Amino acid sequence: MLAARLGPGAVGLLVLADGRFPAGTYAHSLGLEEAVAQGRVRELADVTAFATGLLHTTGRVGAGLAVAAWRLAMAGADGPLWRLLDVECDARMPSPAQRLTSRRLGRQLWRTAARLPLGTTGRATVAPPDRLGAGDAGPHQPVALGAVCARLGGSDLDAALLAALGAASVVVHAAVRLLALDPADAAAAVAGLGPQIDRVAAEAVATVAAAAARVPAGDASAVRAPGVAAGLAAALAAAPAGGAPLLEHYAEVHARREWTLFAS
Amino acid sequence: MAAAARRPLRVGIGGPVGSGKTALVAGLCRLLGGDLPLVVVTNDIFTTEDADFLRRAGVLSPERIAAVQTGCCPHTAIRDDIVANLDAVERLEADHPDAAVSLLESGGDNLTAIFSRALVDVQIFVVDVAGGDKVPRKGGPGVTHADLLVVNKTDLAPLVGADLGVMAADAADRRQGRPVLFTNLRRPDGAVEVAAWVGAQAAAWADAR
């Protein structure tokens, strides 16, 4: 059923979704280590609740930004639009520690994914996003993910789905190591979040698509036309922007701790 | 190769917990740092502790040391998914273009740990006498394939009933001629021979440019 749904050319995306894809995510907990340290997460049910909260806040934002990045890649966007998206990402991540983590993961993802063969229907980015950002340079993680999905021939929904699934998976698998959970419970927990992951991803696509309705996606020749660029810019600005102050708090406290196992 | 040769020689240092990896890095910094500009990436399951040790030891200025967290998976960070370490070492090398050698210290792990060839150019595996004189015989990729095997804490051999001769013979058998050095890294000059080996590797690397 999976193969019939995915069709030819999906293997590259499955490689990207594989937990063994070497993009450095295994060393991150996205705030869970700090939540455990503060005694707020103790068992499997807490982990599921934490992941659910993350999905509907920063997860939703990440999925929307990944969709926006996918649109830029498919439209053959040039430097100014990528830089605009970079600014939109920063604006949605007030915590410096979260920005650092996002750029670190984005850099690492891009490093590996840029070496995958271009998908048969894939689109290589015209302006590679890997040089984005000042100081601690590199693309934010959702930017890299959206561009990579376009490269592999994936859809905007694929980008959103992988963004949301990736966040949930990182949290739950960090919990296996922090709380010595049953790995089968962890796999079941991630699968159990499936309907919510689907919903978050579909909403991210719909939100950005509504704002970009005027933009002819995939028309590289038109991207420099003022109307098209303005439409894409509107799509970027329309990406979800919800926040999660407790996750920001966790990220900032974690970054200042001496004894941590995870990088976030 | 041409592009790779323009960067410093990357030396991986791996081995079990407590065998003396950080002491070796500190010794190498002390002995080599004057002649060969160094940068150091440490991986530790407890993150910055090793980097802090090196900073406190005053053997290297703090901005030449980076710590990488491994999420409880030290072997993953040097073998299966090396991007965080590559990212860290490339950034250090870019910030310190004078560097001739980059040392990458793995978090303590087991005998199966080994560095990816995409992360380091040569690697040193550090075991210790107190772990038992059967360690070289047990083999594993670290013992058999590392470019240099260091057997540390030789001073403890009589105290733990370890036979250094047996360890040397087993290591020679397992390693088919690759070099083995016995050290006592608690001595101020304990890393002299290892430093000489690293220095020779760095010279060969520079000659290949």
Side-chain angles (χ1 to χ4, degrees):
Chain A
M1 186 184 88
L2 182 66
R5 276 204 203 176
L6 293 174
V11 172
L13 286 166
L14 291 174
V15 169
L16 180 64
D18 190 327
R20 295 194 176 199
F21 188 78
T25 54
Y26 68 91
H28 290 260
S29 83
L30 303 180
L32 187 83
E33 182 175 30
E34 184 57 33
V36 169
Q38 295 188 15
R40 291 199 172 96
V41 170
R42 293 191 178 87
E43 55 190 19
L44 180 66
D46 305 332
V47 174
T48 308
F50 183 99
T52 302
L54 186 140
L55 259 182
H56 288 280
T57 54
T58 55
R60 184 190 303 274
V61 171
L65 293 170
V67 170
W70 179 89
R71 281 196 169 263
L72 291 197
M74 294 304 286
D78 51 10
L81 278 166
W82 287 105
R83 280 193 289 282
L84 183 61
L85 177 57
D86 192 61
V87 170
E88 295 286 351
C89 289
D90 271 348
R92 286 162 175 77
M93 297 177 202
S95 151
Q98 284 185 331
R99 288 184 188 177
L100 192 79
T101 294
S102 175
R103 289 199 191 277
R104 189 175 281 167
L105 287 172
R107 244 181 5 244
Q108 294 176 173
L109 170 61
W110 188 262
R111 172 193 282 280
T112 299
R115 283 170 56 178
L116 300 182
L118 191 65
T120 44
T121 58
R123 197 75 183 260
T125 45
V126 175
D130 58 332
R131 303 201 198 292
L132 287 177
D136 199 20
H140 279 292
Q141 199 269 351
V143 174
L145 182 59
V148 169
C149 279
R151 185 180 165 79
L152 295 175
S155 67
D156 47 358
L157 185 59
D158 291 332
L161 200 63
L162 288 178
L165 170 63
S169 177
V170 162
V171 165
V172 174
H173 288 104
V176 170
R177 284 168 271 159
L178 286 164
L179 299 171
L181 297 183
D182 179 345
D185 281 343
V190 176
L193 290 167
Q196 298 191 67
I197 291 170
D198 283 337
R199 198 182 327 138
V200 165
E203 286 172 7
V205 170
T207 304
V208 177
R214 291 183 298 120
V215 182
D219 185 356
S221 62
V223 73
R224 282 181 185 78
V228 174
L232 279 168
L236 308 188
L246 189 56
L247 289 177
E248 291 157 16
H249 162 75
Y250 287 152
E252 292 300 318
V253 176
H254 185 272
R256 286 161 181 75
R257 273 192 193 272
E258 287 250 345
W259 297 82
T260 57
L261 295 161
F262 288 79
S264 73
Chain B
M1 186 64 194
R6 262 180 250 121
R7 58 161 174 73
L9 175 73
R10 293 176 183 162
V11 181
I13 298 173
V17 176
S19 61
K21 296 180 296 300
T22 307
L24 178 59
V25 170
L28 290 176
C29 291
R30 230 179 278 119
L31 293 162
L32 290 174
D35 303 323
L36 292 173
L38 300 171
V39 293
V40 176
V41 176
T42 68
N43 291 185
D44 194 77
I45 58 166
F46 281 118
T47 68
T48 56
E49 189 173 64
D50 281 352
D52 288 346
F53 173 84
L54 294 175
R55 290 179 190 123
R56 276 198 308 272
V59 293
L60 206 62
S61 57
E63 71 275 7
R64 300 183 83 94
I65 306 171
V68 169
Q69 287 121 319
T70 66
C72 313
C73 301
H75 53 278
T76 303
I78 62 164
R79 185 186 61 201
D80 308 312
D81 185 346
I82 58 176
V83 292
N85 272 320
L86 276 177
D87 192 55
V89 74
E90 284 177 6
R91 289 176 154 250
L92 268 182
E93 289 170 356
D95 289 345
H96 302 281
D98 64 318
V101 175
S102 302
L103 301 176
L104 284 98
E105 180 194 345
S106 168
D109 210 328
N110 60 40
L111 296 176
T112 64
I114 192 163
F115 283 85
S116 165
R117 291 291 173 193
L119 181 59
V120 299
D121 304 303
V122 294
Q123 53 190 304
I124 302 172
F125 199 70
V126 185
V127 298
D128 71 291
V129 168
D133 60 12
K134 291 186 180 62
V135 167
R137 197 182 317 159
K138 287 178 181 170
V143 167
T144 57
H145 285 97
D147 300 286
L148 174 66
L149 178 68
V150 170
V151 181
N152 187 32
K153 307 188 188 177
T154 50
D155 54 317
L156 297 182
L159 302 175
V160 298
D163 186 331
L164 294 180
V166 167
M167 295 185 87
D170 288 344
D173 177 56
R174 289 283 184 230
R175 291 175 53 73
Q176 300 176 333
R178 279 185 284 272
V180 182
L181 291 172
F182 286 78
T183 60
N184 173 5
L185 293 170
R186 292 189 69 184
R187 293 168 56 102
D189 60 346
V192 163
E193 288 178 292
V194 183
W197 183 87
V198 171
Q201 298 289 321
W205 180 258
D207 284 346
R209 289 182 191 205

